[in-house]
Amino acid sequence: MTQPLRIATWNINSLRLRLPLLAGLVEALDPDIICLQETKVPDELFPHGALPELGYPHNVHAGMKGYNGVAILSRRPLTHITTAPDWCEKGDRRHIAAEVQTPSGPITIHNFYVPAGGDVPDRVANVKFAHKLDFVAEATAWFRAHPPVRSVLVGDLNIAPLEHDVWSHRQLLDIVSHTPVETEGLLAWQAAGFVDAVRKFVPADEKLYTWWSYRNRDWRASNRGRRLDHIWTTPDLDPVGHMVLTEARDWQQTSDHVPVCVTLAI
DNA sequence: ATGGTCGACAATCGA
């Protein structure tokens, strides 16, 4: 029996600001691989110095000034995979992929930061919403054309697809992140070859959130959360456990998202 | 119905 492979995902909302918080993530989850979104750091300013001493000497990253940005940190060597397109041809650093070797064979990891989509759920009135829908449609088409094998797709997908992925299904049906056009689009993307790994462990009729707005006075008391962060795997992989690190929402100067983790038998 | 709070980066924009 070999050691399992643990993969975490976190929208860190500024890698440089919250670099010290990564130690808490490592202590709580002990991940082999950490996928980050909203790193908000250009590649030339990526904080290479601090990561090896944290236990993650290997990384791939795609950043830009001020917005977006994704990175994969790893204890094991990574191979940067560059076969995917520049989604919506915007050059906006919302995806990075890498391959990691395991005793049972290579595993491909896709790390996504899907556009949030603005406030108005109308593709004509709101170009950000159109971008979000186009991004999801393009990703769906790409994975249909390139069926994934031994792959994990993680990230801040900015859509809560199931009724109990939001605090009130009825009240959020017209709120960006939970509109039918988005949730149907996300589930179609997932059906292009993936299974929702976290919902294997948490039944669909149980509330589960990974994000709570900064704007709530007391996020825990109001508990108006949404599950925006996801881990999907292809059916040929074997998830054996999961964790949603809700306590991270109480860390000093933390992100509005909390880390999510899945353990794979390899 | 509205406003509430963050981060980046230097007046707002994006979330």
Side-chain angles (χ1 to χ4, degrees), chain A residues 65-130:
Chain A
K65 183 177 179 178
Y67 307 102
N68 309 330
V70 285
I72 305 176
L73 319 180
S74 179
R75 288 173 172 163
R76 302 161 176 254
L78 295 176
T79 305
H80 190 187
I81 303 291
T82 56
T83 47
D86 175 21
W87 310 98
C88 301
E89 295 184 330
K90 286 183 169 288
D92 59 358
R93 306 300 192 266
R94 294 180 179 276
H95 172 243
I96 193 164
E99 187 177 86
V100 61
Q101 302 301 323
T102 81
S104 56
I107 293 177
T108 302
I109 297 161
H110 289 279
N111 178 15
F112 277 95
Y113 174 52
V114 171
D119 290 330
V120 180
D122 179 330
R123 73 148 57 239
V124 177
N126 173 10
V127 294
K128 293 180 196 170
F129 194 69

Side-chain angles (χ1 to χ4, degrees), chain A residues 70-265:
Chain A
V70 285
I72 305 176
L73 319 180
S74 179
R75 288 173 172 163
R76 302 161 176 254
L78 295 176
T79 305
H80 190 187
I81 303 291
T82 56
T83 47
D86 175 21
W87 310 98
C88 301
E89 295 184 330
K90 286 183 169 288
D92 59 358
R93 306 300 192 266
R94 294 180 179 276
H95 172 243
I96 193 164
E99 187 177 86
V100 61
Q101 302 301 323
T102 81
S104 56
I107 293 177
T108 302
I109 297 161
H110 289 279
N111 178 15
F112 277 95
Y113 174 52
V114 171
D119 290 330
V120 180
D122 179 330
R123 73 148 57 239
V124 177
N126 173 10
V127 294
K128 293 180 196 170
F129 194 69
H131 178 211
K132 182 178 197 174
L133 297 182
D134 291 346
F135 189 105
V136 170
E138 190 176 327
T140 305
W142 190 83
F143 280 99
R144 282 178 181 159
H146 303 81
V149 176
R150 289 180 60 81
S151 297
V152 182
L153 188 156
V154 313
D156 176 4
L157 306 185
N158 265 316
I159 297 171
L162 306 180
E163 181 172 342
H164 294 290
D165 291 339
V166 295
W167 62 277
S168 169
H169 174 61
R170 185 180 58 80
Q171 288 180 253
L172 270 71
L173 274 172
D174 197 35
I175 301 297
V176 172
S177 73
H178 194 62
T179 65
V181 66
E182 292 171 88
T183 59
E184 288 162 14
L186 192 75
L187 292 174
W189 179 5
Q190 185 185 113
F194 296 97
V195 178
D196 183 337
V198 173
R199 280 299 186 187
K200 285 189 146 191
F201 303 104
V202 183
D205 62 358
E206 201 170 299
K207 293 289 185 190
L208 186 65
Y209 315 135
T210 65
W211 173 89
W212 292 261
S213 172
Y214 281 128
R215 298 179 188 180
N216 289 318
R217 187 174 303 260
D218 183 336
W219 70 274
R220 199 186 282 277
S222 58
N223 200 23
R224 295 187 167 192
R226 306 177 199 172
R227 187 170 72 112
L228 304 179
D229 304 274
H230 300 274
I231 301 180
W232 302 344
T233 71
T234 48
D236 51 3
L237 294 179
D238 184 18
V240 295
H242 89 290
M243 183 87 80
V244 177
L245 196 61
T246 307
E247 69 193 55
R249 191 60 182 77
D250 272 331
W251 290 346
Q252 287 294 313
Q253 198 175 36
T254 196
S255 170
D256 45 356
H257 296 251
V258 299
V260 180
C261 189
V262 159
T263 303
L264 301 177

Side-chain angles (χ1 to χ4, degrees), chain A residues 12-22 214 253-255:
Chain A
I12 195 169
N13 187 12
S14 176
L15 173 57
R16 285 175 291 178
L17 183 68
R18 297 191 222 287
L19 200 51
L21 298 187
L22 279 177
Y214 281 128
Q253 198 175 36
T254 196
S255 170

